[in-house]
């Protein structure tokens, strides 16, 4: 309770909480649809076999059924790439809130197509539904972090940004629980399981309309200062909003010469190269950490330790529950410890336990109890993922860019995330076949690379204003400089702020000066 009281004092008002809850339903949708397809795999394959036999009068080959099922799984990520890449355009065209509301049309359409798949006796409808819900989730992964980072006060941006990952983990856990055989993991229940994706979309359509549009979007993009003030008064539950307005005006002044920046301009801009690379690598560190491999491998891993198939499925639900709990734990840590520090802890812990997982695979035949080490190591691996890489990449891009390039930067980062997701999803079965007990070694290598990159290149953005992060980059490193030095450099930087392309929502350093030195 003291923690919650402190948060309230710092600015976590009832209406801000409500707005964040309404927005993160989009991330819950993402988590739910990521996990929902796994549990009913056998049921969906049986349905495809029946449809194929009715159509063509012959049995489908096992190889072809696997290909059809992989299409149902992976087409979601293809839709996600398209949606994620469109997020920046959507955010600028319709606003952050407006984009989220319109996106629910796709959510409802995709859920209905999936829900009526069996009734229509067509697996093509399942593919189309998964693709459309993928576009919906891709847009959510771009729009939701952007909206939350822009309505949250500076001191709460980290903790509230972590709510994105909390919603994803809750959605994953929900899909795992509902997918067990006792609930909806049956031949009759799986269409309902997939169709339940309509619930977050409808709930968001009901809750979001009374939330304000992003004050930053209203003031900087639309130039509607009075509307921005009204939105801030509601979100802060106070008439004292001058500090927020001034922060936004500083951001606006810093980007007067840039307005919005297209994706091509962003990619070609030397000024924005460093933060763009950081944003991209942070997304890759989430997907190439091996977390999806854990989800794919966990049931058979737990079975190898002596659990029955049913118990192993419940143990996999336990992984989802651990992710929810650890994400909750990381919320207060985010603004107390800092983004960079938590990411380093998370990657380091995952690296250590990925090595333990490999060791346990290699000697579990020789030493019986080693199989339990693999289970413990897997759970610890998930814990460290939730602490760092699970949460931070979703918020870091919004913090690294100003209002102008932010939508395009979010679009690129989210596209990279989905592409990496697709690569892991498609490539992991082959990797597992080729490497067997050494399956986790490539992920260990990636984790080491990402840890070194974070240590060397990623700045701490906790409680930093735009000018402070700019000062960090002027000094050419990602570690924290002396606050007085940062302050003294601000006046000399004021002119350059006019041309800078980076005045992030939480404050961003000027990539033009620092990152390459």
């Amino acid at each position: 309770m003291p923690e919650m009281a402190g948060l309230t004092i710092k600015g976590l008002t009832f209406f801000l909480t409500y707005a964040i809850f309404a927005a993160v339903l989009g991330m819950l949708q993402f988590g739910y649809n990521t996990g929902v397809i796994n549990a009913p795999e056998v049921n969906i394959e049986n349905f495809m076999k029946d449809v194929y036999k009715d159509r063509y009068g012959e049995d489908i080959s096992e190889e072809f059924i696997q290909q059809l099922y992989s299409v149902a799984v992976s087409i979601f990520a293809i839709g996600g790439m398209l949606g994620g890449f469109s997020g920046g355009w959507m955010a600028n065209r319709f606003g952050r809130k407006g984009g989220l509301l319109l996106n629910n049309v796709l959510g409802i359409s995709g859920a209905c197509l999936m829900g009526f798949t069996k009734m229509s006796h067509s697996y093509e409808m399942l593919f189309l539904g998964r693709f459309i819900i993928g576009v919906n989730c891709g847009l959510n992964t771009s729009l939701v972090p952007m909206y939350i980072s822009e309505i949250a006060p500076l001191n709460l941006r980290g903790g509230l940004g972590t709510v994105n990952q909390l919603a994803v983990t809750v959605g994953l856990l929900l899909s795992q629980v509902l997918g067990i055989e006792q609930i909806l993991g049956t031949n009759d229940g799986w269409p309902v399981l997939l169709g339940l994706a309509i619930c977050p979309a409808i709930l968001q359509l009901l809750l979001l309309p009374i939330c304000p549009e992003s004050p930053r979007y209203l003031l900087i993009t639309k130039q509607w200062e009075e509307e921005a003030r009204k939105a801030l008064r509601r979100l802060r539950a106070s008439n004292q909003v001058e500090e927020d307005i001034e922060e936004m005006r500083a951001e606006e002044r810093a980007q007067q010469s840039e307005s919005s920046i297209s994706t091509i301009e962003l990619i070609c801009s030397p000024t924005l190269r460093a933060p763009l690379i950081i944003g991209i690598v942070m997304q890759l560190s989430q997907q190439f950490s091996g977390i999806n491999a854990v989800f794919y491998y966990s049931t058979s891993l737990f079975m190898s330790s002596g659990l029955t198939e049913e118990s192993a499925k419940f143990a996999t639900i336990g992984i989802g529950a651990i992710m929810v709990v650890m994400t909750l734990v990381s919320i207060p840590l985010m603004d107390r410890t800092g983004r960079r520090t938590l990411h380093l802890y998370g990657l380091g812990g995952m690296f250590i336990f990925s090595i333990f997982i490999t060791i346990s695979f290699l000697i579990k035949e020789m030493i019986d109890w080693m199989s339990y080490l693999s289970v413990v190591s897997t759970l610890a691996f998930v814990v460290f993922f939730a602490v760092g890489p699970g949460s931070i990449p979703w918020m870091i891009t919004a913090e690294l860019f100003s209002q102008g390039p932010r939508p395009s930067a979010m679009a690129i980062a989210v596209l990279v995330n989905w592409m990496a997701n697709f690569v892991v999803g498609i490539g992991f079965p082959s990797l597992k076949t080729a490497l067997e007990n050494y399956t986790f070694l490539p992920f260990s290598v990636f984790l080491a690379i990402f840890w070194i990159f974070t240590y060397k290149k990623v700045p701490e953005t906790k409680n930093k204003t735009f000018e402070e992060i700019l000062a960090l980059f002027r000094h050419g490193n990602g570690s924290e400089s002396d606050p007085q030095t940062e302050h003294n450099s601000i006046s000399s930087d004021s002119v350059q702020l006019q041309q800078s392309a980076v005045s992030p929502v939480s404050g961003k350093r000027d990539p033009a000066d620092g990152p390459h030195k």
Side-chain angles (χ1 to χ4, degrees), residues 284-285 288-289 347 351 441-451:
L284 292 176
S285 73
F288 288 162
S289 65
L347 292 172
F351 172 77
L441 274 189
F443 298 119
S444 301
V445 173
F446 275 125
L447 287 163
I449 292 168
F450 292 136
W451 192 94

Side-chain angles (χ1 to χ4, degrees), residues 55-170:
R55 283 184 189 173
Y56 306 109
E58 59 185 49
D59 289 328
I60 190 171
S61 69
E62 281 301 316
E63 186 180 349
F64 190 49
I65 196 72
Q66 284 295 329
Q67 289 175 351
L68 281 179
Y69 183 74
S70 69
V71 169
V73 174
S74 60
I75 202 168
F76 173 74
I78 295 171
M81 291 181 214
L82 179 63
F85 199 63
S86 307
W89 172 83
M90 192 98 159
N92 281 338
R93 178 69 179 82
F94 301 104
R96 283 57 163 155
K97 171 190 164 185
L100 284 169
L101 286 172
L102 281 173
N103 191 25
N104 286 310
V105 175
L106 292 175
I108 292 169
S109 304
C112 288
L113 285 168
M114 292 189 298
F116 290 115
T117 292
K118 190 170 184 182
M119 194 180 295
S120 68
H121 211 58
S122 164
Y123 46 70
E124 290 84 1
M125 187 177 280
L126 173 62
F127 299 158
L128 182 60
R130 284 283 291 172
F131 175 76
I132 291 174
I133 206 77
V135 177
N136 165 267
C137 291
L139 283 164
N140 279 328
T141 56
S142 182
L143 293 169
V144 175
M146 202 185 303
Y147 179 71
I148 289 179
S149 67
E150 291 186 7
I151 65 172
L154 181 65
N155 63 297
L156 293 180
R157 259 174 219 143
L160 295 182
T162 313
V163 176
N164 289 316
Q165 178 64 13
L166 177 63
V168 173
T169 57
V170 169

Side-chain angles (χ1 to χ4, degrees), residues 258-314:
E258 61 167 339
S259 64
S260 65
I261 288 181
S262 71
T263 304
I264 299 299
E265 289 170 330
L266 174 61
I267 292 170
C268 295
S269 167
T271 306
L272 296 168
R273 188 167 296 139
L276 182 61
I277 290 171
I278 288 173
I280 287 172
V281 174
M282 293 292 274
Q283 298 293 338
L284 292 176
S285 73
Q286 183 186 74
Q287 291 299 328
F288 288 162
S289 65
I291 192 65
N292 284 329
V294 166
F295 283 128
Y296 298 145
Y297 208 44
S298 60
T299 302
S300 57
L301 180 64
F302 290 135
M303 286 173 66
S304 74
S305 70
L307 298 179
T308 64
E309 184 177 355
E310 187 179 8
S311 299
K313 286 181 179 177
F314 280 107

Side-chain angles (χ1 to χ4, degrees), residues 230-272:
K230 283 180 186 173
L232 279 169
R233 288 188 198 113
R234 292 180 71 194
L235 290 166
R236 305 290 182 259
S238 166
N239 290 326
Q240 307 303 314
V241 294
E242 282 309 311
E243 192 176 332
D244 288 286
I245 292 288
E246 277 309 309
E247 185 198 343
M248 285 185 261
R249 279 184 176 146
E251 182 172 338
E252 185 180 21
R253 286 193 295 272
Q255 61 158 73
Q256 279 173 349
S257 62
E258 61 167 339
S259 64
S260 65
I261 288 181
S262 71
T263 304
I264 299 299
E265 289 170 330
L266 174 61
I267 292 170
C268 295
S269 167
T271 306
L272 296 168

Side-chain angles (χ1 to χ4, degrees), residues 319-342:
I319 286 184
I322 284 175
M323 283 194 67
V324 172
V325 171
M326 288 310 301
T327 305
L328 276 170
V329 168
S330 71
I331 290 177
L333 289 177
M334 191 63 62
D335 283 311
R336 186 177 300 163
T337 310
R339 283 64 142 166
R340 178 175 177 271
T341 306
L342 278 183

Side-chain angles (χ1 to χ4, degrees), residues 38-55:
N38 294 326
E41 177 178 353
V42 176
N43 309 109
I44 292 173
E45 287 180 351
N46 289 336
F47 162 72
M48 290 175 171
K49 288 176 185 174
D50 293 341
V51 172
Y52 188 89
K53 186 158 189 178
D54 288 347
R55 283 184 189 173

Side-chain angles (χ1 to χ4, degrees), residues 429-507:
S430 303
L431 184 73
K432 182 180 163 188
T433 303
L435 298 180
E436 295 181 342
N437 288 337
Y438 295 97
T439 300
F440 270 83
L441 274 189
F443 298 119
S444 301
V445 173
F446 275 125
L447 287 163
I449 292 168
F450 292 136
W451 192 94
I452 293 167
F453 179 89
T454 303
Y455 184 78
K456 295 277 190 186
K457 299 292 185 185
V458 178
E460 181 54 74
T461 57
K462 180 186 73 168
N463 287 348
K464 292 285 190 297
T465 64
F466 166 58
E467 291 87 351
E468 288 169 334
I469 299 177
L470 169 68
L472 292 181
F473 268 68
R474 289 190 71 80
H475 290 98
N477 59 55
S479 57
E480 297 193 48
S481 307
D482 176 66
Q484 187 58 45
T485 310
E486 293 173 6
H487 178 77
N488 292 342
S489 71
I490 290 170
S491 57
S492 63
D493 291 337
S494 59
V495 176
Q496 182 148 11
L497 289 178
Q498 307 277 331
Q499 290 88 33
S500 164
V502 197
S503 78
V505 110
S506 71

